[in-house]
């Protein structure tokens, strides 16, 4: 006898179950995988896996690397994750602290997460100024540039950073976009040491900002809080003034999320 909440076996769509199994399996792998590895891991025939991957790629839930043909979770997963995060603890518990930072500087304050090799802004408080900087909610953005991107990149394991730099072209987006991998690695070391990241005109003309990490119960980085403005209102001296408030905001949200100790960056 089944309970009222348990679905009847005949109502389960096997293809959907297989697709879900594939997504969970990809999520359990720290790096992109080959087609043959998926077939072996799921114990499914190649034609079945091929159809599943093609369908999931079509919906942006799976991504295929154009250089080596390996598969990983796609940007569509981040859209779903962002929705969960937005309605869950991380956004709800961040809003009070974000508003304090917003009131202190009257500039845009952002909350961002990393999914695989991309970052996504899941919540923001926009500056009240007519000329202001904002981020597109739920849209994939690069990790190699901008204060938020570099901060989240620096919080990754060294092996993940290596894989990211191999797989990602460092395309110039603005005057100061990092395009040299060696220099970016050096900056990652500085960010890890200082605990925050800054940027000026890396993602677009005239944009400056700072980002600080947010840690979860395991004391690993789960998100980033950022403060961004036109560089005319955020010159180097103003960026310097924002360092401590941004760090304190990240620490306050971390405590709300259950972080119990110092930050942990895994090299």
């Amino acid at each position: 006898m089944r309970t009222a909440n348990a679905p009847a076996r005949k109502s389960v769509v096997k293809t959907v179950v297989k697709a879900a199994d594939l997504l969970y399996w990809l999520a359990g792998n720290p790096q992109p995988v080959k087609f043959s590895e998926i077939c072996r891991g799921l114990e499914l025939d190649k034609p079945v896996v091929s159809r599943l991957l093609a369908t999931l790629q079509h919906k942006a839930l799976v991504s295929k690397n154009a250089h080596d043909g390996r598969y990983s979770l796609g940007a569509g997963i981040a859209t779903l994750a962002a929705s969960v995060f937005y309605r869950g603890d991380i956004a709800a518990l961040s809003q009070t602290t974000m508003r304090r930072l917003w009131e202190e500087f009257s500039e845009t304050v952002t909350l961002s997460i990393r999914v695989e090799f991309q970052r996504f802004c899941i919540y923001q408080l926009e500056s009240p100024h007519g000329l202001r900087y904002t981020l597109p909610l739920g849209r994939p953005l690069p990790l190699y540039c901008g204060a938020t991107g570099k901060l989240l990149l620096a919080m990754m394991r060294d092996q993940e950073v290596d894989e990211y730099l191999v797989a990602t072209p460092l395309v110039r987006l603005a005057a100061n976009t990092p395009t040299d991998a060696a220099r970016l690695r050096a900056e990652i070391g500085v960010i890890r040491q200082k605990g925050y990241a800054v940027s000026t005109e890396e993602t677009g003309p005239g944009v400056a900002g700072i980002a600080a990490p947010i840690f979860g119960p395991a004391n690993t980085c789960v998100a980033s809080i950022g403060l961004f403005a036109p560089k005319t209102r955020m010159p180097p001296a103003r960026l310097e003034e924002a360092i401590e408030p941004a760090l304190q905001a990240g620490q306050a949200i971390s405590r709300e999320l259950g972080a119990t100790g110092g930050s942990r960056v895994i090299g």
Side-chain angles (χ1 to χ4, degrees), residues 192-247:
R192 288 175 173 177
Q193 182 180 24
K194 292 184 174 181
Y196 64 89
V198 296
S199 65
T200 299
E201 292 193 307
E202 291 189 2
T203 60
V207 181
I210 182 171
I214 296 171
F215 298 94
N219 297 325
T220 54
C221 182
V222 296
S224 171
I225 184 170
L227 178 69
F228 298 95
K231 72 172 185 177
T232 53
R233 295 200 304 268
M234 193 69 77
R238 187 61 167 164
L239 271 176
E240 185 74 21
E241 293 175 8
I243 292 173
E244 194 59 32
L247 286 171

Side-chain angles (χ1 to χ4, degrees), residues 29-31 73-75 77-79 81-82 85 90 111-122 139-144 148-161 163-164 192 214 220-224 266:
N29 285 270
Q31 60 268 336
L73 293 178
I77 291 292
T79 301
F85 273 110
I90 194 167
L111 178 67
S112 299
I113 62 170
R114 177 179 68 86
V115 178
E116 293 289 321
F117 286 167
Q118 294 172 316
R119 61 181 167 102
F120 298 80
C121 179
I122 60 172
R139 196 174 295 177
L141 298 168
L143 290 174
Y144 65 88
T148 295
K150 293 185 299 183
L151 186 281
L152 293 173
L153 182 62
M155 295 295 109
M156 293 163 57
R157 294 178 175 86
D158 283 342
Q159 180 182 348
E160 292 177 310
V161 172
E163 292 168 354
Y164 174 79
R192 288 175 173 177
I214 296 171
T220 54
C221 182
V222 296
S224 171
I266 302 174

